[in-house]
Amino acid sequence: MLVFAASDKGGTGRSVTSCNVAFHLAQRHDVAYLDFDFGSPTAGAIFDITRAERGIEQEGMHSYFTDGLADPRRLDVWTSTSRPDLRGANIRAGRLTFFPGEIGGAEFGMTDERVDRCAELLTQLDHEYEVVLVDLSAGRSTALHMALAATALSKMRSVTCRWLVFHRWTRQHIVAAHGLVYGKHGILEVGKISGHDQKDLQEDIRFVRVAVPLLKEHNPAQSAPQATWLLAYDDELRKLAVDRRLGQSRVLGTTPVEPILQYREQLITESDVAAKIANATTIKGFRSLADRLVDDEVWEGA
Amino acid sequence: MVIIGEVRTSLLHTSLPLPGAAAADLLALRPGTQVRATSRPINRTLSPDTVTGVDCSLPSEPRTRSRGIGTVVTRAIVVGGMVAQASSRAELEWTDYRERKPWKYYSRRPGVIEVSGPVTTDQVLAGFQMPSRQPETLDLGSISQRMINHVQDRPQLDNLTALRTRPTSMRWTAVGVEDAVPAVRLHIEDATMRTVRVTVPPHLLEEAVGFCEDLALHDWLYTTLGHVIAQAERDMARDADPMKGLRAGLSLLVRLWMPGAHVSPELRPLWQGLEAVPGFSEPWQRQVDWIRDQVFMRSLAAVEELHH
Amino acid sequence: MSTIETPVYSEATSRPAPRKVALSHLSVEVGHLYMEDLTNGEDRIRTQFRRVAPWLQALRSAQQAEVTDGKARISTCFLIDDYFRPDTDPSVIMPQLLRIAADCGIEIDYLAREAGCHEADRVQLAEITRGMLLHEPPVGATGSRPAAQKSGWLCNGERTPDSSGGQAMRGSTLWQQPEEFGKRNHSIFLDVEMWKDIPAKGGEPAHRKWSCPFLAAVWQLIRLGALRNNGEPVAQPRPWPTDSWPRTWRELPAVMQLSDRPSPFSAYRVASILPKTYLKIEHAVNVILDHLTLDEAVVTQTAERAVEEGVELPAQLTDRLTNIFIEAVPTVRRW
Ligand SMILES: Nc1ncnc2c1ncn2[C@@H]1O[C@H](COP(=O)(O)OP(=O)(O)OP(=O)(O)O)[C@@H](O)[C@H]1O
Ligand SMILES: [Mg+2]
């Protein structure tokens, strides 16, 4: 299964959430994580792979597309991470393989040849990994366009593809996420031009709400009018989301605000929760996203 | 006389094994040149060779200056209509002449790389056996990988798979030594990388290519069945159904096990050595038995449940 | 190689030895004319054949001097440009062409069609030749990356690096000159278009249009007896009566034998006597031929026969080619 992670805005939490989802899926499957954020390849930092924090020197995803490299570099997360609690945490875990971009790598143009290469890589990995997660760049990027074009090729028809659109729980983010999917030059429009069936493609898209504040929690610092306003506005956002076709039935899941992540981009593990540094609800959010991502029932008709 | 090579082995992107004629069609990569096939005891189809030009240094240990100019030949192989291999190789020939000759000289010698510089045969052999390839040196793996990708991308395949598997790489060297008794050394580097060293009398050097391809195939089968079992145990540990993977493993892989079947009779003794240490067919059979037992017991349990 | 052959078991699908073709000592191509020249009166044709005749004589004596025992086997041939201009009429062109050649003392043993270098007897000769291409690697080519190729093009060196389509903000690089591989001090860089892929348009399906130099390279391969289709000889000459020509070229075989009992069409060595205008095409042909991987079994067979016959044969194909360029007849202005 191929999973594409997109967002209209940068800094949404696309990478951090995707990495955590990949981490949970890898507890039971072989999972590949591809850094297609060509303008700023930084997913290595989230896995705490020191030597690939901002990508690797050479033979990364960029060279695969621009130089015709046959074998892009793979890093096994379990053995390359510098976090001791990830190594050997689960003796039965599947593989988690990270395909890094290159340090100083930049966006490049889309060509027919690159679309073909993209399809070739994705097919190859789909035959190797249960789940292949692709972190696309923010906005209407080459990566997104290339992924849409590659998955529309007839030879990729038989491959299951799922698209995740990440957004924060604010007015602007909801409007922007709507635009990325339904708007001009959005996923559906470009997908259709690329050869996708628009209805099928739409059914393969789900939204992920990132860092949503938990209002029901008792917050002693909050004044009563503040609490009332927040509740009311939250309700308004809900209506807006439904209105913009980002409603509950199209949502794959939600992650709560996690203080650790406000300071540091990283994986949240059981040991973080056990040490009471991270919230249990955060890990629950990621795990639920992972479960629902591979649950076919969730994806039957939105 | 030295031949170096690298074989990449992977499951063909097809839901059902390709019949012999379809495999031949798949590997008809060069118009006007026939595909070769043997059908007994199991179908094995060979594409015509493709040729790639190179001019670069060779891997060496300790690192020593060298320049290799010439060509690498690559062929694709399909075994049992189910497994795809790409096999690249080149014979190394030492020369005193340092300059590059006109290209037509090399294009007429497919599969020969002329080596100049202070590097020795042993240094190149050691360099080629290193776990990771030295950057900016001869890269047979990528040449093979491109061939695999090309074959997997052909329209003859339905692009479906019943089993997710990892490809493996086998880097090998074969040395021709007068009066040598054929000998082989297999080294498992990590999950996907293997190195092999073969010594044979010079007249059997060409046959060593086929032996290494056969060894790569069986090593891949063995490794892959191991993953099928690991995934099943992972599923069982969290109460998920392991049957799909187990069944696919049984039906797709087991019948392909035939070490030495496609190897020149003179080199079959090499297999006997490997069967003794580390052992191939016996542990393979035990894994197969384990899977069959699981499938049997689970089917039985399912039937019993139906009756209650 | 790894097909199993033991006393008790052998496979029928293993590759048989390629079939041999008869070989002359020398094949001479006696001139070449554009379709425009063939359809524009007699003068231009006559002028060219008159200029070709003495060189043909010279080649004959030169070859005879090489053959110590007996008579040298020499055949002549002429190639018609029907691939790019199929719209002309053989029954008009051929009688006139053969008459003028005979007037000038030139007997054309074999007539070939350029379209036959694309496809002969349903065998795709140009495609087979394309499959034999072997691009020359630049210094430092490890095999990690595919040879930088422009589809349909072949060059004798390294092109100017392509600066478009790369990664953003990489800074503009200064222009670099192309460079000929194995140059002597200075480069003579040649980039040859071998074919063009024409997309489907207005009812016509997508197809590949081969270039003149590429078809000319196939032509030389056929003349040298170096092409096979699954081991079988290709474009073998068929006798054709010189007094009966159809209205279209397509109805003719790829290679026709016109004279009575000539020496074989293919030869150890080939020579072409051509107007100087073909210099660049022949240069391109040489570049193409130098970048082919030949069927080694065929090459070996030819070499062995040469040894048996006492013919000294250069190892490289292009060393068996001789070109004689004669003064060109001024062409009809086409602009
Ligand atoms: N649930 C969360 N709670 C709090 N902060 C979060 C949460 N999820 C992500 N973040 C933080 O948000 C910031 C942006 O996240 P991330 O880098 O994943 O975004 P992105 O969408 O991938 O951005 P870019 O477009 O720049 O790649 C990071 O500092 C991350 O730690
Ligand atoms: Mg990111």
Side-chain angles (χ1 to χ4, degrees), chain B residues 30-40 44 46 48 51-56 67 71 75 89 100 103-105 107-108 110 133 136-139 142-143 146 206-207 210 213 261-265 268, chain C residues 1-6 9 11 13-16 127-128 130-146 181 228-231 290-294 296 299 315-320:
Chain B
R30 189 169 168 163
T33 310
Q34 263 158 346
V35 168
R36 280 186 296 165
T38 51
S39 54
R40 302 285 167 89
R44 182 171 189 262
L46 296 179
V51 188
T52 309
V54 294
D55 178 353
C56 58
R67 181 176 184 186
T71 57
R75 63 184 177 191
R89 62 188 190 278
R100 178 149 139 179
W103 184 240
K104 56 188 170 182
Y105 171 81
S107 64
R108 283 292 314 283
R133 189 179 66 84
E136 303 308 317
T137 61
L138 181 65
D139 185 0
S142 289
I143 298 175
R146 276 199 297 279
E206 281 286 299
E207 309 290 345
E213 289 162 351
H262 294 289
V263 173
S264 138
R268 284 206 196 127
Chain C
M1 197 181 296
S2 56
T3 330
I4 310 292
E5 296 279 355
T6 71
Y9 180 77
E11 278 276 348
T13 42
S14 50
R15 214 169 285 155
E127 273 300 334
I128 291 180
R130 186 180 71 90
M132 293 159 56
L133 281 170
L134 169 58
H135 290 263
E136 189 168 354
V139 176
T142 59
S144 293
R145 292 163 172 80
F181 289 128
R228 294 289 186 283
N229 177 41
N230 296 330
D290 280 344
H291 288 83
L292 297 179
T293 50
L294 302 170
E296 282 305 309
V299 173
Q316 305 302 339
L317 217 53
T318 39
D319 296 340
R320 301 177 196 168

Side-chain angles (χ1 to χ4, degrees), chain A residues 10-16 37 168 210-211 255-258 261-262 265:
Chain A
T12 305
R14 189 183 66 252
S15 304
V16 164
D37 191 347
R168 295 257 170 159
V210 182
T255 66
V257 177
E258 168 55 56
L261 295 180
Q262 286 176 317
E265 297 75 10

Side-chain angles (χ1 to χ4, degrees), chain B residues 4 57-61 63 66 119 123-128 133-134 137-138:
Chain B
I4 56 175
S57 31
L58 299 174
S60 54
E61 180 60 33
R63 290 203 76 157
S66 67
V119 78
Q123 286 166 341
V124 172
L125 290 179
F128 206 68
R133 189 179 66 84
Q134 289 163 2
T137 61
L138 181 65

Side-chain angles (χ1 to χ4, degrees), chain C residues 7-176:
Chain C
V8 289
Y9 180 77
S10 88
E11 278 276 348
T13 42
S14 50
R15 214 169 285 155
R19 236 167 20 97
K20 294 178 183 168
V21 297
L23 292 174
S24 287
H25 290 107
L26 177 69
S27 151
V28 184
E29 181 177 11
V30 289
H32 190 77
L33 289 151
Y34 286 117
M35 251 341 160
E36 292 85 7
D37 297 329
L38 287 170
T39 50
N40 258 303
E42 295 198 358
D43 289 355
R44 326 174 59 75
I45 308 173
R46 191 173 299 279
T47 314
Q48 188 177 107
F49 278 134
R50 211 183 53 224
R51 286 176 183 164
V52 165
W55 292 106
L56 173 60
Q57 265 319 314
L59 283 168
R60 281 186 192 280
S61 359
Q63 182 59 52
Q64 188 58 58
E66 295 283 323
V67 178
T68 43
D69 49 342
K71 195 164 178 283
R73 301 190 301 274
I74 299 171
S75 65
T76 59
C77 56
F78 192 88
L79 183 70
I80 285 281
D81 263 0
D82 68 329
Y83 183 70
F84 296 95
R85 290 288 306 276
D87 54 338
T88 51
D89 184 347
S91 68
V92 175
I93 290 176
M94 283 318 297
Q96 166 183 296
L97 181 80
L98 295 176
R99 178 171 46 79
I100 302 172
D103 287 353
C104 299
I106 296 172
E107 185 174 26
I108 297 177
D109 296 325
Y110 299 96
L111 179 78
R113 297 189 298 115
E114 197 175 26
C117 298
H118 158 224
E119 181 191 310
D121 307 318
R122 300 244 172 84
V123 180
Q124 308 286 322
L125 301 188
E127 273 300 334
I128 291 180
T129 307
R130 186 180 71 90
M132 293 159 56
L133 281 170
L134 169 58
H135 290 263
E136 189 168 354
V139 176
T142 59
S144 293
R145 292 163 172 80
Q149 290 173 14
K150 275 192 278 172
S151 172
W153 289 78
L154 176 74
C155 68
N156 64 348
E158 228 174 322
R159 298 185 178 97
T160 293
D162 180 9
S163 54
S164 68
Q167 295 177 38
M169 296 176 71
R170 276 292 156 101
S172 72
T173 38
L174 289 175
W175 183 81
Q176 279 176 38

Side-chain angles (χ1 to χ4, degrees), chain A residues 11 14-16 37 40 42-43 46 135-136:
Chain A
R14 189 183 66 252
S15 304
V16 164
D37 191 347
S40 150
T42 50
I46 306 172
D135 184 0
L136 304 168

